Amino acid sequence: GFFSASGGLSVADMMLRLLAQHISPAQLAEVNHILYCQGSPAATATERPAIANSQSRIERAETYMHATLAQPLSLTVLANMVNMHPRTFSRQFSERYGVSPMQYYRHLRLEHAHLLLLQTQWTVGRIAELCGFTEPTHFSACFTQHYGLSPQQVRIKESRNP
């Protein structure tokens, strides 16, 4: 097939979406880290042996969340990915991280959006899309609730206080 992307990060985002269909979440997270953070996390961190228990499954799901910020994920998709029932997955995730999986995932997406707002001149709509929000108005409402300022207000405030 033929694929097309407008350039910049959209090419990397497209590549990550394609790779997500063919490699493990841990491999996808490493590729994501290399693309966006310049370097392999394995080069700076010691590898932990993979153990097949619910803890490692929860960690795999959390890693996958980090690697797929542009894709809206549901609780069912995350639970199925690690072969757990959604309620069991949600309970164990909450015990491990102190919040529900969806709250955690939204927090990650909003943090990424905040970073993009400060580091790029992209439109709020483009940033919303890159962070998995289908509607810019919904993104703005979630962002405002989380940070106490709208995306536009964050940009204005940052431009005044470089």
Side-chain angles (χ1 to χ4, degrees), residues 25-26 29 48-51 53-66 81-82 84 89 92-93 96-97 104:
R48 289 184 298 190
I51 50 177
N53 63 23
S54 62
Q55 186 87 345
S56 66
R57 287 192 284 174
I58 298 299
E59 290 172 359
R60 278 189 294 151
E62 192 259 352
T63 298
Y64 189 71
M65 288 177 180
H66 281 273
M81 188 195 80
V82 294
M84 294 177 80
F89 171 73
Q92 290 184 9
F93 191 98
R96 171 113 171 104
Y97 294 103
Y104 186 90

Side-chain angles (χ1 to χ4, degrees), residues 114-142:
H114 188 260
L115 185 67
L116 292 175
L117 278 167
L118 299 179
Q119 294 182 347
T120 72
Q121 292 304 311
W122 294 336
T123 66
V124 170
R126 176 70 176 134
I127 291 172
E129 178 186 336
L130 289 171
C131 295
F133 290 88
T134 55
E135 294 294 326
T137 54
H138 178 64
F139 162 71
S140 291
C142 291

Side-chain angles (χ1 to χ4, degrees), residues 26-63:
Q27 291 169 318
L28 187 64
E30 185 166 349
V31 170
N32 183 61
H33 186 27
I34 291 168
L35 284 174
Y36 292 108
C37 300
Q38 297 81 36
S40 170
T44 57
T46 58
E47 293 283 320
R48 289 184 298 190
I51 50 177
N53 63 23
S54 62
Q55 186 87 345
S56 66
R57 287 192 284 174
I58 298 299
E59 290 172 359
R60 278 189 294 151
E62 192 259 352
T63 298

